[in-house]
Amino acid sequence: MEIIKSIHDMQSKMMQWKQSGKSIGFVPTMGYLHEGHQQLMKKARQENDIVVTSIFVNPLQFGPDEDYERYPRDEVHDTDIAKKEQVDILFYPHVNEMYPKDQTIRMTVHQRVDVLCGKSRPGHFDGVVTILAKLFNIVYPDYVYLGLKDAQQVAVVDALIQDYNFPIKLRPIATVREQDGLAKSSRNVNLSDQERIEAPYIYQALLHGQKLMQAGEQDAEVIIKEVSHFIHTHTHGKIDYVDLLSYPELERVNHINEQVILAVAVYFKHARLIDNVVLDQQGSFATAIV
Amino acid sequence: MEIIKSIHDMQSKMMQWKQSGKSIGFVPTMGYLHEGHQQLMKKARQENDIVVTSIFVNPLQFGPDEDYERYPRDEVHDTDIAKKEQVDILFYPHVNEMYPKDQTIRMTVHQRVDVLCGKSRPGHFDGVVTILAKLFNIVYPDYVYLGLKDAQQVAVVDALIQDYNFPIKLRPIATVREQDGLAKSSRNVNLSDQERIEAPYIYQALLHGQKLMQAGEQDAEVIIKEVSHFIHTHTHGKIDYVDLLSYPELERVNHINEQVILAVAVYFKHARLIDNVVLDQQGSFATAIV
């Protein structure tokens, strides 16, 4: 595995691969790699000649109250993980390399952002699309791998690729789960023993909503209420949101007649957990996603 | 010459050239091609294996008071010109192909725009960078050719390429002039006979400013006043602006100690003429530009 820190070196390297007709799979990350990232790398490895991972903690996507400085970093661990997953090139730029000065030209996201987790993180996705537009122009990927755990991010990156005609295919990868269905997350270690027993009911609640849709329920409000009730009944968590929106547009739907996302965020004492399912009109798990 | 109207066809075509290692020169235009465009095409033809021209009247760069619908179009003439200049591919998309829906993600330009012609065209350059970002992702150019007549556009596109790491080199091409120095423009035909005699003094005024710099004058205000006075003395035109700014940053300079642009816009009865020179600190014509 080669570690590259300069944009210039990266671009000349990648252009060589591109010109030799190799397919390039790209896994952009902020480091502190875990099993979710590894899943993306494995998928990229299966589907491409060349796998590139980037590690860059992007200051632009942190809000003023979010602690960019304290975001965890572990270069040795991350390098080991990337090697283990047979990544070919690890792009690991310094912040001054990516942002030598303030951007003269800014990107801002005007749809798909004022809902779900984006609602409480104004400007977050502006930072996400800015860094990804830059990385796409440095890595020249054919395929980009993102986890569906953050389905809103997938929806926004879908818009970036469409709006700016990037010659890239987005590959959203299914959320990795524990045996009992709990979505894997580095935050799960912050759950108490009792909370860890209750947490799988979040996914059960989503599946309950799915069953309602499969049984013919088409009223979004009814499903949202039922899912919320299910979580209240089976956990001591405090619901941040339960929502059902069109996907990937993330617009409000009343009568369900298109692909939707059913998404939840629940506060436990020391962990906020999120989860979602993307479903077609009949309530089956969506296969195409974007 | 091949005429392509679909983004998909364009991308597959261009990726083939790219993979075969051909260099790609790109001349983006809004059509109604004239000698200025031809100069860009000639330069692109000299320097590249493949020359691509696009013709697209971009609604996003027209203000509400600017007449997008009435912008002149002439497909037959333009196709002839492009053929004559040995363009390989003419990309000629319909507006619905480039903007199938409103952009979810917008680009806005925050520096280099509130001066010169940009001052009176708010949002204009937002539209310019949006369409160019899209076109860059469709054409994959190695070199992009723009006329220095619109030096502010060159400065903004320079920022686009820098900020978003497009693997593209910008080639600003010197303004084409008549024998008497008047910058060529399709607007020159709107000058009266007397105005046509006076108009070359605009360029003479810029050269007068240059001479002052070469003689050691470093105070921007003095040069601006002298150039304005020169235009007043030799023409009946009404000055819109005379300005001297750092280039390509387009920031105000008091004491000249870097590359600058000396730029003017003058109203005649039925034509607004613009012109500029980019000069190094000593007043010599700049060679590197960006």
Side-chain angles (χ1 to χ4, degrees):
Chain A
M1 184 180 76
E2 195 172 349
I3 301 177
I4 297 181
K5 295 186 174 258
S6 110
I7 292 171
H8 176 267
D9 291 354
M10 198 64 200
Q11 287 178 321
S12 27
K13 188 84 183 182
M14 296 316 299
M15 189 46 74
Q16 285 174 28
W17 295 126
K18 201 81 182 170
Q19 290 190 343
S20 68
K22 305 282 190 200
S23 76
I24 298 164
F26 178 39
V27 182
T29 81
M30 299 218 298
Y32 219 70
L33 303 176
H34 55 63
E35 210 169 332
H37 299 110
Q38 287 178 262
Q39 209 58 35
L40 304 180
M41 293 173 192
K42 281 185 212 302
K43 199 74 187 171
R45 184 71 281 168
Q46 281 166 25
E47 297 183 349
N48 297 277
D49 301 318
I50 305 293
V51 175
V52 177
T53 289
S54 64
I55 295 182
F56 181 67
V57 183
N58 175 30
L60 242 62
Q61 68 192 68
F62 286 78
D65 297 334
E66 296 171 1
D67 206 337
Y68 163 67
E69 294 298 337
R70 275 180 46 211
Y71 193 86
R73 291 155 169 94
D74 190 340
E75 183 161 355
V76 173
H77 165 83
D78 287 350
T79 308
D80 284 350
I81 295 275
K83 266 186 204 151
K84 191 182 153 206
E85 299 301 338
Q86 299 172 278
V87 166
D88 296 299
I89 294 177
L90 179 59
F91 180 51
Y92 209 137
H94 191 271
V95 65
N96 296 337
E97 179 75 1
M98 294 307 286
Y99 299 115
K101 56 181 189 57
D102 280 352
Q103 299 279 113
T104 295
I105 300 171
R106 294 185 207 145
M107 296 184 102
T108 46
V109 190
H110 293 263
Q111 291 165 44
R112 310 188 179 192
V113 289
D114 299 334
V115 292
L116 307 181
C117 296
K119 198 160 51 177
S120 53
R121 305 187 72 183
H124 168 69
F125 285 112
D126 300 345
V128 170
V129 297
T130 301
I131 193 66
L132 283 178
K134 288 168 71 76
L135 287 169
F136 291 171
N137 284 339
I138 294 167
V139 175
Y140 317 143
D142 297 282
Y143 297 95
V144 169
Y145 296 81
L146 293 176
L148 259 176
K149 177 96 186 297
D150 190 345
Q152 187 167 21
Q153 177 169 266
V154 170
V156 170
V157 176
D158 169 64
L160 174 67
I161 290 172
Q162 303 295 328
D163 278 2
Y164 290 92
N165 306 101
F166 282 99
I168 294 174
K169 284 202 180 59
L170 184 54
R171 287 268 197 255
I173 302 301
T175 302
V176 186
R177 300 183 180 283
E178 305 287 352
Q179 287 279 338
D180 56 17
L182 176 64
K184 289 208 182 194
S185 163
S186 45
R187 294 186 179 86
N188 292 349
V189 298
N190 297 328
L191 297 169
S192 70
D193 289 351
Q194 175 59 28
E195 286 175 336
R196 180 60 189 82
I197 290 167
E198 294 175 4
Y201 284 99
I202 293 175
Y203 185 53
Q204 290 303 319
L206 296 175
L207 297 181
H208 177 64
Q210 178 182 28
K211 267 184 219 124
L212 292 173
M213 274 180 67
Q214 286 173 335
E217 181 58 64
Q218 293 183 308
D219 185 332
E221 274 311 307
V222 170
I223 294 167
I224 290 169
K225 268 184 198 152
E226 286 281 337
V227 169
S228 304
H229 181 69
F230 191 99
I231 294 171
H232 273 308
T233 310
H234 292 90
T235 81
H236 290 85
K238 184 176 160 290
I239 291 172
D240 181 13
Y241 63 75
V242 173
D243 219 341
L244 193 156
L245 302 166
S246 66
Y247 195 87
E249 298 79 11
L250 300 184
E251 286 168 2
R252 214 140 289 292
V253 289
N254 298 313
H255 183 83
I256 300 166
N257 59 3
E258 59 193 309
Q259 178 171 289
V260 293
I261 184 169
L262 177 59
V264 305
V266 177
Y267 286 105
F268 287 96
K269 198 154 184 192
H270 298 292
R272 178 175 173 278
L273 304 186
I274 60 170
D275 204 350
N276 71 76
V277 288
V278 179
L279 304 170
D280 68 20
Q281 187 171 351
Q282 281 77 36
S284 302
F285 286 112
T287 45
I289 310 285
V290 292
Chain B
M1 185 180 76
E2 194 172 352
I3 301 178
I4 296 181
K5 296 190 173 255
S6 110
I7 292 172
H8 176 266
D9 291 354
M10 197 64 199
Q11 287 178 320
S12 26
K13 188 85 182 179
M14 297 315 300
M15 188 47 72
Q16 286 175 26
W17 295 125
K18 201 80 182 170
Q19 289 190 344
S20 67
K22 305 282 190 201
S23 76
I24 298 163
F26 179 40
V27 182
T29 82
M30 299 217 298
Y32 220 69
L33 303 176
H34 55 63
E35 209 169 333
H37 299 111
Q38 288 178 261
Q39 208 59 34
L40 305 181
M41 292 174 193
K42 283 187 211 299
K43 198 75 185 171
R45 184 72 281 168
Q46 281 166 26
E47 297 184 347
N48 296 276
D49 301 316
I50 305 293
V51 175
V52 178
T53 289
S54 64
I55 295 183
F56 181 67
V57 183
N58 176 30
L60 241 62
Q61 70 191 67
F62 285 78
D65 297 333
E66 295 172 3
D67 207 337
Y68 163 67
E69 294 298 338
R70 276 181 45 212
Y71 193 87
R73 291 155 170 92
D74 190 342
E75 183 161 354
V76 173
H77 165 83
D78 287 352
T79 308
D80 284 349
I81 294 276
K83 266 187 204 150
K84 190 181 153 205
E85 297 302 338
Q86 299 172 279
V87 166
D88 296 298
I89 294 177
L90 179 59
F91 180 50
Y92 209 137
H94 190 271
V95 66
N96 295 337
E97 178 75 0
M98 294 307 285
Y99 299 115
K101 56 180 190 60
D102 280 351
Q103 299 278 114
T104 296
I105 300 171
R106 294 185 207 145
M107 295 184 103
T108 46
V109 191
H110 293 264
Q111 291 165 45
R112 311 188 177 191
V113 289
D114 299 333
V115 292
L116 308 180
C117 296
K119 198 161 50 178
S120 53
R121 305 187 73 183
H124 167 71
F125 286 111
D126 300 344
V128 170
V129 296
T130 300
I131 193 64
L132 284 179
K134 288 167 72 73
L135 287 169
F136 290 171
N137 286 337
I138 294 167
V139 176
Y140 317 144
D142 298 283
Y143 297 95
V144 170
Y145 296 80
L146 294 176
L148 259 175
K149 176 98 185 296
D150 190 344
Q152 187 168 20
Q153 177 169 267
V154 170
V156 170
V157 177
D158 170 63
L160 174 66
I161 290 172
Q162 303 295 328
D163 279 1
Y164 290 92
N165 307 102
F166 282 99
I168 294 175
K169 284 201 179 60
L170 184 54
R171 287 269 197 254
I173 302 301
T175 302
V176 188
R177 300 182 180 283
E178 306 287 353
Q179 288 279 338
D180 58 16
L182 176 63
K184 290 209 181 191
S185 164
S186 43
R187 294 186 178 85
N188 291 349
V189 296
N190 298 327
L191 297 169
S192 70
D193 288 352
Q194 174 60 28
E195 286 176 336
R196 180 61 190 83
I197 291 166
E198 294 175 5
Y201 283 99
I202 293 174
Y203 185 53
Q204 292 303 318
L206 295 175
L207 297 181
H208 176 65
Q210 177 182 29
K211 266 184 219 127
L212 292 173
M213 273 179 69
Q214 287 173 334
E217 181 58 65
Q218 294 183 307
D219 186 331
E221 274 310 308
V222 171
I223 294 167
I224 290 169
K225 267 184 199 151
E226 286 282 337
V227 169
S228 304
H229 181 69
F230 192 100
I231 294 171
H232 273 306
T233 310
H234 292 89
T235 81
H236 291 83
K238 185 174 161 289
I239 291 172
D240 180 13
Y241 63 75
V242 173
D243 218 339
L244 193 155
L245 303 166
S246 65
Y247 195 85
E249 298 79 9
L250 300 184
E251 285 168 2
R252 214 141 287 294
V253 289
N254 298 312
H255 184 82
I256 300 166
N257 57 4
E258 59 193 307
Q259 179 171 287
V260 294
I261 184 169
L262 177 58
V264 305
V266 177
Y267 286 105
F268 286 97
K269 198 156 185 190
H270 298 291
R272 178 174 172 279
L273 303 186
I274 61 170
D275 204 351
N276 71 76
V277 289
V278 180
L279 304 169
D280 69 18
Q281 185 172 351
Q282 280 78 38
S284 303
F285 287 113
T287 46
I289 309 283
V290 292

